[in-house]
Amino acid sequence: DARVTQTPRHKVTEMGQEVTMRCQPILGHNTVFWYRQTMMQGLELLAYFRNRAPLDDSGMPKDRFSAEMPDATLATLKIQPSEPRDSAVYFCASGRTSGGNTGELFFGEGSRLTVL
Amino acid sequence: GENVEQHPSTLSVQEGDSAVIKCTYSDSASNYFPWYKQELGKRPQLIIDIRSNVGEKKDQRIAVTLNKTAKHFSLHITETQPEDSAVYFCASHAYSGAGSYQLTFGKGTKLSVIP
């Protein structure tokens, strides 16, 4: 049963510290998304990769957030420096897109971040 | 870009009754409309989806309808059960520029089924 794997599942850190979240997409999927979920904002898109190329990171605060996909098996989301308002659950999702058509997005279990 | 509005934000129904959640989208080129269910503390999971060449799709107690002219789609759950209690998200798949297609999610509907 193929799954998207995210680490860490939980992270508590102090304001100003660097946080790195990792995601292993499902093998064969060519699209990877990072979403942030809070009670108030629902699922916010932070970044989107297709075939490892970043296509859309307009939802991401550029001054402190960065997203990369160094290879097909790893996507990373980094926050430096972290702030209390970054506290949220961060989901990675992967899927298969071809041309203008897409299929199901598979979500990881999420990384719950608490910044004190 | 695409804008997806979802209503209501919360919904309470008696067990056995039906529940309906509605979404509207703005991009007439959108071609794929999935619905995700998220139980408390868990990840969103796809429960049903519909493509723009179909008006209705049903899977046991769950159905989705699509009205392309009006740009809205709805989730219907019949004979609700306590295990249907969760947050439901609709989404729309549309071109977002620069060769990018992406899913835009609604804000979610918290469904509570009262035994």
Side-chain angles (χ1 to χ4, degrees):
Chain A
D1 186 23
R3 286 181 178 239
V4 175
T5 304
Q6 285 186 249
T7 57
R9 292 292 314 280
H10 302 274
K11 175 74 175 180
V12 180
T13 191
E14 293 190 346
M15 181 174 63
Q17 295 298 304
E18 177 179 304
V19 175
T20 299
M21 288 168 275
R22 294 177 173 81
C23 169
Q24 181 177 8
I26 292 173
L27 188 66
H29 283 183
N30 64 344
T31 55
V32 175
F33 297 80
W34 282 105
Y35 288 94
R36 176 169 62 185
Q37 186 173 39
T38 61
M39 288 293 292
M40 299 303 295
Q41 295 297 325
L43 283 164
E44 296 176 87
L45 178 66
L46 296 176
Y48 164 39
F49 295 83
R50 188 173 69 192
N51 298 325
R52 293 179 54 205
L55 286 188
D56 189 342
D57 61 1
S58 57
M60 198 165 67
K62 303 289 192 307
D63 56 338
R64 300 184 300 108
F65 284 62
S66 61
E68 295 181 347
M69 202 162 173
D71 62 59
T73 65
L74 177 65
T76 63
L77 179 67
K78 187 176 296 184
I79 308 174
Q80 168 62 24
S82 58
E83 297 181 1
R85 60 179 166 152
D86 301 329
S87 298
V89 179
Y90 292 81
F91 284 102
C92 174
S94 73
R96 213 189 315 265
T97 298
S98 175
N101 294 312
T102 192
E104 177 180 356
L105 270 192
F106 292 82
F107 283 79
E109 298 286 354
S111 294
R112 181 177 294 276
L113 173 65
T114 302
V115 183
L116 303 174
Chain B
E2 175 73 295
N3 183 43
V4 178
E5 300 282 341
Q6 183 172 347
H7 300 281
S9 56
T10 60
L11 179 61
S12 291
V13 299
Q14 290 292 137
E15 182 177 357
D17 287 350
S18 295
V20 180
I21 303 170
K22 299 182 179 182
C23 288
T24 60
Y25 60 98
S26 59
D27 189 338
S28 57
S30 295
N31 61 4
Y32 174 64
F33 307 91
W35 286 87
Y36 285 80
K37 175 184 180 182
Q38 186 178 26
E39 297 176 353
L40 188 62
K42 298 192 175 180
R43 59 185 169 173
Q45 291 188 283
L46 181 75
I47 54 171
I48 195 168
D49 57 12
I50 191 168
R51 297 193 182 269
S52 57
N53 58 347
V54 176
E56 183 174 0
K57 185 176 179 181
K58 192 173 181 180
D59 182 3
Q60 300 183 347
R61 297 186 296 108
I62 295 173
V64 57
T65 58
L66 171 65
N67 184 326
K68 287 178 59 181
T69 303
K71 289 190 279 188
H72 68 70
F73 56 112
S74 302
L75 177 71
H76 304 254
I77 306 174
T78 58
E79 301 171 25
T80 53
Q81 301 168 2
E83 52 265 39
D84 294 330
S85 296
V87 177
Y88 291 81
F89 293 94
C90 65
S92 170
H93 181 249
Y95 184 67
S96 60
S100 170
Y101 292 82
Q102 61 174 265
L103 275 177
T104 301
F105 283 86
K107 295 287 189 189
T109 297
K110 184 177 180 182
L111 173 65
S112 299
V113 179
I114 304 165

